[in-house]
Amino acid sequence: MLKVENITKFYQKGSTKITAINDLSLTLNKGEFIAIKGESGSGKTSLLHTIGGLLRPDEGTILINKHDVYSLNKNERAAFRAEQIGFVFQQFHLIPYLTVSENIAAPLIAKKLKIGSRVDELIEKFGLSERKNHLPKELSAGEKQRTALARALLFNPQILLADEVTGNLDPGNSELVLDSLREFSDNGGIVILVTHDESAASKADKTMTISNGILS
Amino acid sequence: MNTFKLVNREIFRRKVNYLIGFAIVAITTAIVIGTLSLLKIHDLQTAQILAQKEAELNERVLVLQDDYRKISLELGFNLLIIPEGQNLGNFYADDFASKYMDESVTDKLVSSRTLTIQHLLPSLTQKIVWPEQKQSIILIGTKGEVPYLYRNPKKPMLQPVPDGGMVLGYELHRILNLKEGSKVKLLGREFTITKCNERRGSKDDATVWIPLKDAQELLNKEGKINAILALKCHCASGTLTNIIQSVKELIPNVQVLQKNKEVAIRAKARDRAKREAKEALKAEELSRTELKNEQLRFAKVLIPLVIITGAFMICLTFIANVKSRQDEIGILRTIGTKQHTILIMFLMKSILIAIPAAVTGYLIGIFTSTISVENFELSELFGTFALIITICLAGLISTAASWLPALYASLQDPAKIIQD
């Protein structure tokens, strides 16, 4: 279960203090898939990063399975993140000099877990068999995003945080990726999808809007 | 996937960055090793030169010794003539003969037409107790040098004791408290002390010299002597055997012994030649040491400068590498990679650059340092231990140089990178 309790996050821009997240609370149970919509600068990415343990809130707590994420030190939080949280981004963020299969296996650098033939399963599942030895620069946008998604799912995390994942994809690949998120959720995972895309949001169980750091 | 594999992939697929780092470490190592090798070559050459010079000088010493030997031969032989029948064991033990011969034998030697003797010193020697002083002494009656007035007069080697005079050895005048000019009695005859000798550290210090005639009278050996010292003897054939033969033909009832003057000359010659050789070697060694010190002073400036420059360039290369890998660092941190793993990732790369580059630089350094040197084998400079030390130091310096960029990379905020 994910419990976000009264989190607030400020940014300092020059002498101006900007409130990115304003006393936001949210509770998500296993298998929930929500979409968060909002304009640029509304605080959606900040919320995603805060939930993902990357951005410490100024106030409030994030509880994942009753673990206060920010009570952990940096290394413990990194280990927790590696095992419990998957990230997928609009810009894919693949490691340019690693092949598809190596990129999918990259989380093993962070945490040594026994995964058996998990990499091959994911390659198969996301239709990347033909491309597994290719570098990211040799892939299409859809293949890149599928690779990024496979990487996020390597350790079967509890939570999947997806930031505009269909933003650079054609409809076919968008569908494939959203279906994968749906499947992940159906298997008991929590999905938070940040998107502008109505059709993408429609795949979620619930759509919320964030504006000026307030979720509604 | 692990950190080492990730670093290897990065190196393999971003060759230019790796090669730049490799070149910096290899060139730095080559300059340092080249400089050190030149110093070592200098040392080895010095040893070679000195060994060669020593051999040459030893050869020169042998030549010099031979020259001196020849010269000493030309100087003639020194002989001691003692009476026939003298037990040589007793003679060597007492250092004077107990048998006597006629003083007239000296005249035979002087008048010889086949033998040339530069100096003739007849003497009468006995060990006695000086009754007036109650002191054991060696009494030598000497005539000084027999003059060759009709041949080739030489300045006398030994000053004869003047008539009525006495010369005292050091210990005697010291113990008996006698001074030059004092009058003393010996065996009832009065003498004036004409000279008190300095310390010689030999039996001379216990010797009293008086005129031969006085000694003969006091010892009741009128017309007798027990030794003739013949210096610089020559004969037509020039060999010692022939000279001794000539002497024996002239005065049959004598024994002829060779004095060790020639040996002393040779020893002195040898010593002098050796001393000269050692001095020449020392001068060469000094000059090589000065040259080495000059090179050392240069190396002491060059080596740290090259290392600092190399380290600085490695640091810049890693800063560029970190900058170009921001996105990668961001995603690795996002997927849970710990800060120290990022740090290790960059330090590992610096070591993977340093090790092969150090080996390459080491070989280049040794090879280039021997290019201009003749008769030098690479194997003389190559050392496994030195290579290991080079690798360790290169790894250490490279790691230290990449430390700050690596630390900077590990401290990057992943949220900011991903957001950007």
Side-chain angles (χ1 to χ4, degrees), chain B residues 366-379:
Chain B
I366 286 184
F367 180 73
T368 49
S369 65
T370 53
I371 284 175
S372 59
V373 186
E374 287 176 7
N375 302 327
F376 231 90
E377 293 296 323
L378 279 176
S379 56

Side-chain angles (χ1 to χ4, degrees), chain A residues 11-18:
Chain A
Y11 286 113
Q12 197 73 37
K13 197 169 185 179
S15 57
T16 316
K17 195 176 183 182
I18 297 165

Side-chain angles (χ1 to χ4, degrees), chain A residues 36-79:
Chain A
I36 297 174
K37 289 169 61 182
E39 292 176 0
S40 293
S42 59
K44 6 180 238 304
T45 302
S46 295
L47 175 62
L48 219 56
H49 288 168
T50 307
I51 292 169
L54 293 172
L55 192 65
R56 180 183 285 278
D58 295 306
E59 291 169 18
T61 53
I62 310 283
L63 298 169
I64 297 173
N65 290 336
K66 297 180 182 172
H67 286 104
D68 182 353
V69 175
Y70 289 98
S71 68
L72 303 172
N73 66 33
K74 276 187 179 177
N75 283 334
E76 288 169 341
R77 202 156 68 239

Side-chain angles (χ1 to χ4, degrees), chain B residues 50 81 121 125 131 173 191 259 297 307 343 378 399 413:
Chain B
L50 291 178
I81 301 163
L121 304 168
T125 305
H173 68 75
F191 293 90
K259 284 289 278 183
R297 277 195 292 276
I307 290 174
L343 186 76
L378 279 176
T399 307
D413 181 357

Side-chain angles (χ1 to χ4, degrees), chain A residues 11 45-46 49 54-55 74-76 78-79 81-82 87 89 92-99 102-103 105-110 112 135 151, chain B residues 1-3 5-7 9-11 13-14 325 327-328 331-341 345 411 413-419:
Chain A
Y11 286 113
T45 302
S46 295
H49 288 168
L54 293 172
L55 192 65
K74 276 187 179 177
N75 283 334
E76 288 169 341
R81 196 161 57 235
F87 288 90
F89 305 96
F92 323 121
H93 291 301
L94 296 176
I95 297 171
Y97 49 82
L98 297 183
T99 61
E102 288 166 347
N103 260 293
L108 286 167
I109 296 165
K112 291 275 169 233
L135 294 172
R151 180 180 65 192
Chain B
M1 180 58 63
N2 54 43
T3 312
K5 200 171 175 183
L6 184 84
V7 173
R9 290 284 186 275
E10 200 269 335
I11 288 171
R13 293 192 176 123
R14 283 183 180 152
R325 294 171 71 183
D327 190 52
E328 175 195 331
I331 193 61
L332 284 170
R333 292 280 291 118
T334 302
I335 62 176
T337 307
K338 291 170 188 164
Q339 283 183 335
H340 73 258
T341 308
M345 203 169 85
L411 295 174
D413 181 357
K416 192 170 183 305
I417 295 171
I418 296 296
Q419 208 158 0

